[in-house]
Amino acid sequence: MKEFLVEITTTVPEGTSQNEVDERRAAEAVRARELAATGHLARLWRPVGELRSIGVWRAADEAELHEKVLATLPLRPWMTLTVTALESHPNDPGRDAADGRR
């Protein structure tokens, strides 16, 4: 699978009930665990003091990432995404480990 850096900003639409927000956030946590278990979500961070997330996601290609991975997130309708395709850098200290080599 290819790796992608995904920056996510979630904005709850004005007038949305707290109950709907809570339900979607709970469902989002469940879906994130499922995507991690299948290898699609590798890492996820929240910058200190910010209401956005940055993650490393995996998919066969960008189309699959959008259509079969990110589109399945319960909060997706409220999200703004920035996707950057990644490739290994020759000086990456984790490169050999990621490729299964030592």
Side-chain angles (χ1 to χ4, degrees), residues 31-79:
R31 186 64 183 135
R33 285 191 298 275
E34 293 169 351
L35 291 168
T38 60
H40 291 289
L41 175 55
R43 297 294 309 266
L44 192 60
W45 299 271
R46 174 168 289 146
V48 175
E50 296 185 33
L51 295 176
R52 65 185 180 107
S53 301
I54 300 170
V56 176
W57 298 74
R58 296 183 180 127
D61 54 35
E62 193 166 341
E64 179 186 68
L65 177 71
H66 283 282
E67 296 166 13
K68 296 184 179 176
V69 179
L70 299 174
T72 69
L73 297 170
L75 292 172
R76 177 60 187 102
W78 301 346
M79 291 177 171

Side-chain angles (χ1 to χ4, degrees), residues 3 87-98:
E3 292 186 320
E87 63 182 20
S88 183
H89 189 283
N91 298 330
D92 177 6
R95 182 177 180 179
D96 289 342

